[in-house]
Amino acid sequence: MDLSNLKPAEGSVKNQGKRIGRGQGSGKGGTATRGHKGAKSRSGYSKKVGFEGGQMPLQRRVPKFGFTNINRVEYQGINLDTLQQLVDEKKIKDTVDFEILFANRLVGKNDLVKILGRGELKSKLKVSAHKFTASAKAAIEAAGGEAVTL
């Protein structure tokens, strides 16, 4: 290193941004890159969410419909093929309950569990859950297991 090849440390020198609105001589004075007139050129301007320049916004053009049932109960669905896959991976042996499903990240800690009938179950399992579909219950019992409603 000598005086002919000195350079500042990596990351110590930054390009300063263009200085806007600091007089005509800078070339960025006057309108300060905002153009002439209109809401966007004013100070304090912020576009409202969904504002379409005075045109009727989409959310108000589309009609309202339906309602939300305040008594709705949401269940986390788990299919039989998922249970069979856990058996194949030797993650469960003969019983399936909420703790096992939670440990395998199939349900959250506050979820209600419903066993659904997709796929086939080959192994004998004692399954406990909040709800079962008729086809799932039949398939579990056909495989020699039992379905326990919590």
Side-chain angles (χ1 to χ4, degrees):
M1 186 203 306
D2 55 41
L3 289 177
S4 67
N5 60 8
L6 288 177
K7 60 177 194 259
E10 193 66 41
S12 67
V13 177
K14 294 195 190 83
N15 271 347
Q16 298 298 320
K18 51 186 171 185
R19 282 167 50 89
I20 291 171
R22 291 291 178 270
Q24 293 296 346
S26 70
K28 297 276 188 289
T31 59
T33 73
R34 286 169 174 250
H36 295 281
K37 295 188 185 170
K40 273 179 151 172
S41 72
R42 317 283 184 202
S43 69
Y45 167 75
S46 66
K47 187 167 142 278
K48 305 284 185 289
V49 174
F51 184 66
E52 298 181 16
Q55 171 178 302
M56 185 61 67
L58 181 67
Q59 193 183 348
R60 291 189 59 198
R61 290 197 299 262
V62 176
K64 297 197 280 186
F65 70 97
F67 77 106
T68 304
N69 182 359
I70 60 168
N71 298 317
R72 179 174 167 78
V73 180
E74 280 275 356
Y75 290 94
Q76 178 63 47
I78 293 177
N79 279 293
L80 293 177
D81 55 6
T82 313
L83 294 180
Q84 185 58 49
Q85 189 182 342
L86 287 176
V87 172
D88 295 342
E89 292 167 359
K90 298 190 170 36
K91 289 186 177 171
I92 52 178
K93 290 187 173 63
D94 51 358
T95 59
V96 180
D97 58 7
F98 187 82
E99 281 70 36
I100 290 170
L101 295 174
F102 181 67
N104 285 302
R105 295 185 152 187
L106 292 170
V107 294
K109 65 180 167 105
N110 298 322
D111 286 348
L112 298 174
V113 180
K114 184 169 186 174
I115 305 297
L116 310 173
R118 186 187 71 199
E120 57 177 335
L121 192 65
K122 302 180 193 92
S123 43
K124 178 182 173 184
L125 290 175
K126 180 183 178 185
V127 185
S128 52
H130 297 98
K131 286 248 179 190
F132 294 88
T133 60
S135 60
K137 197 165 198 165
I140 290 168
E141 284 160 2
E146 63 172 312
V148 182
T149 306
L150 295 175

